[in-house]
Amino acid sequence: MDNDLIKKRNWAFGIVAFFGLISIATYTYNEYYIYLSVYLWFGFIYGMCLQYGRFCFSSAFRDLFAVGVPRMAVGVMLATVLFALVSAFVTATGLSTFHAAPTSLHAVVAGFIFGVGMVFAGGCASGSLYKTGEGNGVALLVILSISVTQALFADVAGWTNKLVPQSWHESAVSKGLPPTINAGDGWVDQYLAGYVWDQPVMTYATMMGQTDESITGAFFSNAFLGVIVPAAILLLFVYLIWSRRSFLRKRKKVKENLNFKDDLLGYWTMIVASKRTAIAGLILGIFCGLQMFVTQGLRVKFGIQNAGTLLERMGHDYGISVNGTVFDPGYWYVTTQEAQWVGWVFAKAGADNMDNIYFGLVNGIPNPAINPADWMSLALIGGAAVMALLHNEFKFKKPTLELATWAIIGGALMGIGSRLGLGCNVGAFFVRVAQGDVSGWLFGIGMIAGAYIGVKFFNWWTERQMAKEFEACDI
Amino acid sequence: MKFEKVSDGHYQLDVKGYVCPHPQIYTKKALAKLAVGDHLEVIFDNPSSGESISTMCDITGDEIVSQKQESGKFVWDIEKG
């Protein structure tokens, strides 16, 4: 083994040791820190899985439209189905941490903006985290853009108030929120309290007249009808449009008369074609479900509903929301903790950004060093770095001006889409779809349409770039 | 991005520094311009693009003749099928 590989391996072990030391030292200091360490280690596992499987939600739809490659669409559907099955078990035991989101066309619009953004940026919100762990400067720029845009967008007021329909304003003011939260001021506040909160919250189980915790509600309505059936149909479309022709062409070389069984074989071959992606999808799905189970177990053990209570018990009361809460989903999430750390920086620089719903009423802006979800994201980057270092795939890459431009534009669109949709490709799509939340597929439909438009643009852009090169080569 | 003719039937596409989806889109467009039997050497350093290019070649019938990897840089020789 050459010196470079040995050095990289040592760095990988160093990162693992660093996270291990943080967990042990903080637990020794106060046992409540184990709650944050759970976030940390699940984030670490997600990072390893994402890097190993090159798991990017953007790629799932973008590569279908751009180069006709279905591997990531398969991986995402596999992960979602597994996550749904584990979640159904967790929900049926009453230990789910999930709360469904309001359902309306806003999820489609938000998904569309997010979808265009993720193609421009070269990766989704979670993909940008793991690629940062590979040393990719463009991905880091995307994260910064998502983070800053969200923190600014969540608190935007002034002239944007004029864009708010009167009905939203009246509905927001009538909610009677605490006096420190001025719900009648700020575009996002009035969008949330005046429109989104008035939309119905639906899961497939509640639509069928069942509770989410019932066996039929959790396993049949939410997991089977809400996830497994649509995922199988979606993959069938993917097979018919992008995969069937090439499979049957190869199959004809070994068998003359093809029949329905060959199509079944082709469908299955497409699913297992990329082992790395399939394995990553399976592990991600299982661990995403387990995280809810473990987090809820700790909440019961410590007698809390939210990590804000733990932070206050440990004497950290800065940046806690007016409800005494901080962002603490209890499952995989990406974008809100990114908005929080920039929100915290802005607040330290003198900004008054705790008068909005997003930070002031719900998520808070705790110090990033003790923000549970920030521990998850940092460990996700670390897990991806470890995997990349071990496979000799780590490389520092400085962004070029062209890629930096796409990263900033794409990140900003993803930031806005995330706040409109109350989450990103993970929180608003992956998690919600897997939990039987109707708004999840709506966000997904928008995201697919956005990815299509983004690819159309890049096809035009790359065509222009290559035309000059082809001309020089006379082809 | 740099695309050049190395010799008769041999071309090189250098997309180092590019992230998704650029390497796979450029590779697809470059392969579309080549004649059957021509070789395209693709140089890239975005690992996830490798998965997409590999699956794309499997679907289109193009053959990846050789794959080299050193310090996060990938050099693949693809024969147009």
Side-chain angles (χ1 to χ4, degrees), chain A residues 17 25 47 117 141 181 217-218 252 258 264 318 350 367 384 395-396 419 421 431 438 446 473:
Chain A
L141 212 51
I181 307 297
K252 267 185 184 163
L258 303 181
L264 284 179
Y318 178 82
N367 186 326
K395 188 185 172 196
F396 280 117
R419 293 295 34 93
V431 174
V438 179
C473 292

mmCIF file of all heavy atoms in Angstrom, chain A residues 17 25 47 117 141 181 217-218 252 258 264 318 350 367 384 395-396 419 421 431 438 446 473:
data_model
loop_
_atom_site.group_PDB
_atom_site.id
_atom_site.type_symbol
_atom_site.label_atom_id
_atom_site.label_comp_id
_atom_site.label_asym_id
_atom_site.label_seq_id
_atom_site.Cartn_x
_atom_site.Cartn_y
_atom_site.Cartn_z
ATOM 1 N N ALA A 17 -12.376 8.218 15.310
ATOM 2 C CA ALA A 17 -11.919 8.418 16.693
ATOM 3 C C ALA A 17 -12.425 9.759 17.234
ATOM 4 O O ALA A 17 -12.835 9.852 18.400
ATOM 5 C CB ALA A 17 -10.388 8.371 16.746
ATOM 6 N N ALA A 25 -16.816 11.776 25.667
ATOM 7 C CA ALA A 25 -16.529 12.927 26.534
ATOM 8 C C ALA A 25 -17.806 13.657 26.944
ATOM 9 O O ALA A 25 -17.986 13.998 28.124
ATOM 10 C CB ALA A 25 -15.584 13.890 25.815
ATOM 11 N N GLY A 47 -24.109 9.037 6.057
ATOM 12 C CA GLY A 47 -23.013 9.534 5.223
ATOM 13 C C GLY A 47 -22.260 8.403 4.545
ATOM 14 O O GLY A 47 -21.948 8.477 3.352
ATOM 15 N N GLY A 117 -33.597 23.458 -8.836
ATOM 16 C CA GLY A 117 -32.398 23.825 -8.074
ATOM 17 C C GLY A 117 -31.424 22.668 -7.934
ATOM 18 O O GLY A 117 -30.210 22.849 -8.096
ATOM 19 N N LEU A 141 -20.244 24.735 -1.427
ATOM 20 C CA LEU A 141 -20.853 26.005 -1.840
ATOM 21 C C LEU A 141 -22.384 25.878 -1.914
ATOM 22 O O LEU A 141 -23.122 26.809 -1.560
ATOM 23 C CB LEU A 141 -20.286 26.392 -3.209
ATOM 24 C CG LEU A 141 -20.140 27.867 -3.528
ATOM 25 C CD1 LEU A 141 -19.403 28.609 -2.449
ATOM 26 C CD2 LEU A 141 -19.419 28.030 -4.863
ATOM 27 N N ILE A 181 -44.040 36.692 18.440
ATOM 28 C CA ILE A 181 -44.076 36.262 17.029
ATOM 29 C C ILE A 181 -45.067 37.152 16.295
ATOM 30 O O ILE A 181 -46.270 37.080 16.525
ATOM 31 C CB ILE A 181 -44.530 34.786 16.902
ATOM 32 C CG1 ILE A 181 -43.683 33.869 17.772
ATOM 33 C CG2 ILE A 181 -44.531 34.343 15.439
ATOM 34 C CD1 ILE A 181 -42.215 33.817 17.410
ATOM 35 N N GLY A 217 -53.716 0.422 9.341
ATOM 36 C CA GLY A 217 -53.353 1.780 8.933
ATOM 37 C C GLY A 217 -51.878 1.885 8.606
ATOM 38 O O GLY A 217 -51.483 2.438 7.575
ATOM 39 N N ALA A 218 -51.027 1.350 9.499
ATOM 40 C CA ALA A 218 -49.574 1.478 9.330
ATOM 41 C C ALA A 218 -49.064 0.609 8.177
ATOM 42 O O ALA A 218 -48.329 1.087 7.311
ATOM 43 C CB ALA A 218 -48.863 1.112 10.623
ATOM 44 N N LYS A 252 -32.236 -11.279 -26.443
ATOM 45 C CA LYS A 252 -32.467 -11.946 -27.739
ATOM 46 C C LYS A 252 -31.226 -12.690 -28.224
ATOM 47 O O LYS A 252 -31.326 -13.606 -29.039
ATOM 48 C CB LYS A 252 -32.897 -10.908 -28.785
ATOM 49 C CG LYS A 252 -34.405 -10.770 -28.877
ATOM 50 C CD LYS A 252 -34.793 -9.841 -29.992
ATOM 51 C CE LYS A 252 -36.316 -9.652 -29.967
ATOM 52 N NZ LYS A 252 -36.727 -8.486 -30.725
ATOM 53 N N LEU A 258 -39.141 -14.424 -26.905
ATOM 54 C CA LEU A 258 -39.262 -13.790 -25.588
ATOM 55 C C LEU A 258 -40.730 -13.695 -25.187
ATOM 56 O O LEU A 258 -41.608 -13.543 -26.026
ATOM 57 C CB LEU A 258 -38.645 -12.388 -25.623
ATOM 58 C CG LEU A 258 -37.181 -12.324 -26.064
ATOM 59 C CD1 LEU A 258 -36.677 -10.886 -26.029
ATOM 60 C CD2 LEU A 258 -36.311 -13.190 -25.174
ATOM 61 N N LEU A 264 -40.454 -9.905 -16.762
ATOM 62 C CA LEU A 264 -40.324 -9.958 -15.297
ATOM 63 C C LEU A 264 -38.847 -10.013 -14.906
ATOM 64 O O LEU A 264 -38.404 -9.347 -13.971
ATOM 65 C CB LEU A 264 -41.056 -11.174 -14.736
ATOM 66 C CG LEU A 264 -42.579 -11.098 -14.658
ATOM 67 C CD1 LEU A 264 -43.147 -12.399 -14.096
ATOM 68 C CD2 LEU A 264 -43.028 -9.912 -13.779
ATOM 69 N N TYR A 318 -30.004 29.650 25.257
ATOM 70 C CA TYR A 318 -29.963 30.602 24.144
ATOM 71 C C TYR A 318 -30.524 29.950 22.871
ATOM 72 O O TYR A 318 -30.195 28.806 22.535
ATOM 73 C CB TYR A 318 -28.529 31.083 23.866
ATOM 74 C CG TYR A 318 -28.474 32.035 22.687
ATOM 75 C CD1 TYR A 318 -28.780 33.383 22.865
ATOM 76 C CD2 TYR A 318 -28.177 31.581 21.400
ATOM 77 C CE1 TYR A 318 -28.765 34.256 21.790
ATOM 78 C CE2 TYR A 318 -28.166 32.455 20.324
ATOM 79 C CZ TYR A 318 -28.465 33.785 20.529
ATOM 80 O OH TYR A 318 -28.477 34.648 19.465
ATOM 81 N N GLY A 350 -26.231 40.436 15.298
ATOM 82 C CA GLY A 350 -27.134 41.529 15.651
ATOM 83 C C GLY A 350 -28.504 41.482 15.000
ATOM 84 O O GLY A 350 -29.337 42.358 15.251
ATOM 85 N N ASN A 367 -27.069 27.239 19.601
ATOM 86 C CA ASN A 367 -25.663 27.189 19.196
ATOM 87 C C ASN A 367 -25.435 25.899 18.384
ATOM 88 O O ASN A 367 -25.768 24.819 18.851
ATOM 89 C CB ASN A 367 -24.796 27.185 20.464
ATOM 90 C CG ASN A 367 -23.327 27.280 20.142
ATOM 91 O OD1 ASN A 367 -22.863 26.769 19.138
ATOM 92 N ND2 ASN A 367 -22.591 27.952 21.015
ATOM 93 N N ALA A 384 -19.283 10.202 5.197
ATOM 94 C CA ALA A 384 -18.985 10.160 3.761
ATOM 95 C C ALA A 384 -17.485 10.300 3.525
ATOM 96 O O ALA A 384 -16.918 9.621 2.658
ATOM 97 C CB ALA A 384 -19.740 11.277 3.039
ATOM 98 N N LYS A 395 -10.943 13.664 -2.656
ATOM 99 C CA LYS A 395 -10.081 14.611 -3.384
ATOM 100 C C LYS A 395 -10.638 16.021 -3.199
ATOM 101 O O LYS A 395 -11.829 16.256 -3.449
ATOM 102 C CB LYS A 395 -10.065 14.250 -4.874
ATOM 103 C CG LYS A 395 -9.066 15.048 -5.677
ATOM 104 C CD LYS A 395 -9.174 14.737 -7.151
ATOM 105 C CE LYS A 395 -8.296 15.687 -7.946
ATOM 106 N NZ LYS A 395 -8.643 15.683 -9.355
ATOM 107 N N PHE A 396 -9.777 16.942 -2.752
ATOM 108 C CA PHE A 396 -10.216 18.341 -2.636
ATOM 109 C C PHE A 396 -10.398 18.922 -4.026
ATOM 110 O O PHE A 396 -9.506 18.806 -4.878
ATOM 111 C CB PHE A 396 -9.171 19.170 -1.877
ATOM 112 C CG PHE A 396 -9.259 19.008 -0.387
ATOM 113 C CD1 PHE A 396 -8.215 18.465 0.331
ATOM 114 C CD2 PHE A 396 -10.417 19.405 0.299
ATOM 115 C CE1 PHE A 396 -8.305 18.313 1.713
ATOM 116 C CE2 PHE A 396 -10.511 19.257 1.675
ATOM 117 C CZ PHE A 396 -9.456 18.706 2.377
ATOM 118 N N ARG A 419 -38.165 25.710 2.087
ATOM 119 C CA ARG A 419 -38.992 26.446 3.051
ATOM 120 C C ARG A 419 -40.457 26.461 2.617
ATOM 121 O O ARG A 419 -41.354 26.415 3.433
ATOM 122 C CB ARG A 419 -38.478 27.873 3.261
ATOM 123 C CG ARG A 419 -37.143 27.946 3.931
ATOM 124 C CD ARG A 419 -37.067 27.444 5.392
ATOM 125 N NE ARG A 419 -37.897 26.357 5.800
ATOM 126 C CZ ARG A 419 -37.538 25.048 5.783
ATOM 127 N NH1 ARG A 419 -36.373 24.670 5.371
ATOM 128 N NH2 ARG A 419 -38.371 24.113 6.188
ATOM 129 N N GLY A 421 -41.873 24.065 0.892
ATOM 130 C CA GLY A 421 -42.378 22.696 1.014
ATOM 131 C C GLY A 421 -42.190 22.100 2.395
ATOM 132 O O GLY A 421 -42.497 20.940 2.618
ATOM 133 N N VAL A 431 -38.950 11.075 3.639
ATOM 134 C CA VAL A 431 -39.550 10.755 4.936
ATOM 135 C C VAL A 431 -41.074 10.739 4.828
ATOM 136 O O VAL A 431 -41.740 9.790 5.280
ATOM 137 C CB VAL A 431 -39.092 11.757 6.020
ATOM 138 C CG1 VAL A 431 -39.834 11.515 7.331
ATOM 139 C CG2 VAL A 431 -37.586 11.656 6.247
ATOM 140 N N VAL A 438 -49.594 12.163 2.487
ATOM 141 C CA VAL A 438 -49.997 12.424 1.098
ATOM 142 C C VAL A 438 -49.143 13.516 0.453
ATOM 143 O O VAL A 438 -48.855 13.483 -0.745
ATOM 144 C CB VAL A 438 -51.499 12.789 1.047
ATOM 145 C CG1 VAL A 438 -51.938 13.092 -0.380
ATOM 146 C CG2 VAL A 438 -52.333 11.648 1.634
ATOM 147 N N GLY A 446 -43.644 17.395 -8.105
ATOM 148 C CA GLY A 446 -43.056 18.696 -8.435
ATOM 149 C C GLY A 446 -41.560 18.580 -8.682
ATOM 150 O O GLY A 446 -41.016 19.171 -9.622
ATOM 151 N N CYS A 473 -12.514 19.704 -33.689
ATOM 152 C CA CYS A 473 -12.087 18.347 -34.057
ATOM 153 C C CYS A 473 -12.640 17.934 -35.412
ATOM 154 O O CYS A 473 -12.414 16.803 -35.862
ATOM 155 C CB CYS A 473 -12.547 17.338 -33.012
ATOM 156 S SG CYS A 473 -11.736 17.504 -31.440
#
